[in-house]
Amino acid sequence: MGGDEMDEAMRAYFPLSFGKPSKSQQNPSLAHSLTRRSAPAPPPASAPNPNSKPNGDEEEDDGTMVGPPPPPPASTGDEGEGEEEAMIGPPRPPPASRGEDEEGEEEDAMIGPPLPPPQSTQKPSSSRPDGSDGSDDDSDEEFDEDSPDDSHKIPLSNEIVLRGHTKVVSALAVDHTGSRVISGSYDYTVRMYDFQGMNSKLQSFRQLEPFEGHQVRSLSWSPTSDKFLCVTGSAQANQASNTRKEAWEKMEIGHRCQSSIMLYLIYDRDGLTLGEFVRGDMYIRDLKNTKGHISGLTGGEWNPKSKETILTSSEDGSLRLWDVNDFTSQKQVVKPKLVRPSRIPVTACAWDFEGKRIVGGIGDGSIQLWTIKTGWGSRPDIYVEKAHSDDITGLKFSTDGQILLSRSMDATLKVWDLRQMKSPVKVFGDLPNHYAQTNVGFSPDEQLICTGTSIEKNSTSGSLLCFFDRKKLELFSRVGISPSLSVIRCLWHPRINQVFATVGDKKEGGTRILYDPSISQRGALVCVGRAPRRKSVDDYEVHQPVIHNPHALPLFRDQPSRKRQREKILKDPLKSHKPDLPVNGPGFGGRVGTTKGSLLTQYLMKQGGLIKETWMDEDPREAILKYADAAAQDPKFIAPAYAETQPKPMFAKSDSEDEDNEK
């Protein structure tokens, strides 16, 4: 008997469910087809949309795809006749766009993005930023007339949503590898997602509440992605370590202050708390003499080059640099330049790419920039007064350090040249912004600028994700995200080539991830095609018995009816008798409420002479002394106790008796 036959014979003695069940594999192409975006109705725009296609090829997809159009179906029926399995990867281009000699190579998988359909009108390809004309690519990147190169291709064909928050998602951070996402919300929680460990249910693996009752306003990963900073609307910050022992040591150093109103914490990659920074003394007027912030925080960011330095901004009107190894005090306090001496909040802050300059958005609308060098102080190197007419919500440096982007609640996005900061290079308007955490960012090649918009009361267009061309300084594309939820944070990750956008309102919040299977890598593609584990019949579950006893406690019992009890009391003459009213007025003869003329009996007795009122005619001294003999002969209370030791009282004689003796 062979080995296989022996195994089959042995399995006859075991149940059919014995052994490790095979993992359910989901078809990737089917999974991506389920996440394909439906194109929202185009919002009204004053300027034409540069991302619109000149031909009508998009109509064949029923408006389900945003981005490059899919190739038309093949006209010949000999392609793929013997293929019974589902096609994996992007669809093959039509044979018309390829040579006749490739008809026998239909079984080979295509590598790269799908080829576009043949255009009715061909335009010569423009030169690329690197100087090449791109003629050797057979016009593969001629998707439309206004986006001649592939660097402007936005991954928008598919979308997934990371749910879990119950309010606006106000903070977002993705690590440098693109495998772990953390999001913070106005519901006071932070959720952590791992693409490698998630399945198609897209559930978070950990939920944190940094500080009870305080909104999460900013999240930032360290340069090594082993820790992240969490900034809430309170006056402290917190850190977490890679080991539990180190975490407890840091927490002891951190001087926890539960009565504080501001909090900035640091966590490790798995969500273990490392520590929190100390809070300053709110009764000290000079901010440079306080050990920390004294009001709620507005933002925070990790130094992109140094894993030891953190920048935070606060409503107390200061920016502070911190060392993550010392939670007791900050390294540097930066006080912005103000027209009048007062405390104006710092609403936003950011590092440049090299970690040598910081910028802050001040509540008076000014933008101030400092260069970190030896002996630097609070005097800004660049000061732009009235850069915006409302609070600044987001700042972003370009990689080359020449461009600065600013986003504000005045519904504008401004592009600044750091070499000439007297006036902005370009102002993009009509961008509603109602949240203090709305940011602005670059594409991976920094050729596009992206930001989100908020929902307005009378608007019918919904929230948008707007893309602007950095070189042409014009609108490139507007993508509808949600008809009822505002877009707050946006991020285009360079490693996985996927766009993240956080949305929400007072009742709902989530993180939307836009991707394209043909040009994106890992990230959402990993978890979308992973089916959840099926429940096996051998899975052991503890079934707790449910006991229904709603009247077990007196608290939950219904009060009995008192109707019969009231009827019985009414029949009782004593209980139903109306009580006497309380007596009032002056008394007479030791009885309260009785006067000498109130009763007929008293009136008759007085008139008959039985009741005599002599106290008005008596001398008080004589009235008291007439009881002196009786008290001396028959003492009852105090006199017997002091009879032996009490001195004998001697009363003074009257003057009349002395005069008689002298005579």
Side-chain angles (χ1 to χ4, degrees), residues 422-436:
K422 292 184 178 180
S423 61
V425 178
K426 180 67 176 180
V427 178
F428 298 102
D430 195 18
L431 301 172
N433 178 12
H434 304 315
Y435 292 92

Side-chain angles (χ1 to χ4, degrees), residues 589-616:
R591 298 185 62 185
V592 180
T594 60
T595 61
K596 57 183 179 180
S598 62
L599 298 177
L600 178 61
T601 305
Q602 293 181 357
Y603 176 75
L604 295 175
M605 292 177 66
K606 182 179 179 182
Q607 294 297 328
L610 299 178
I611 299 178
K612 296 181 181 180
E613 295 182 356
T614 59
W615 60 273
M616 293 293 292

Side-chain angles (χ1 to χ4, degrees), residues 136-183:
D136 56 343
D137 293 339
D138 295 333
S139 300
D140 286 354
E141 300 166 47
E142 290 285 342
F143 294 117
D144 52 51
E145 295 181 354
D146 294 323
S147 57
D149 51 27
D150 190 53
S151 63
H152 286 49
K153 185 176 181 181
I154 306 173
L156 299 174
S157 63
N158 296 67
E159 176 184 349
I160 62 173
V161 182
L162 303 180
R163 305 183 187 275
H165 292 289
T166 58
K167 291 184 180 180
V168 171
V169 180
S170 56
L172 175 71
V174 185
D175 68 343
H176 300 82
T177 61
S179 61
R180 188 154 292 189
V181 181
I182 51 177
S183 61

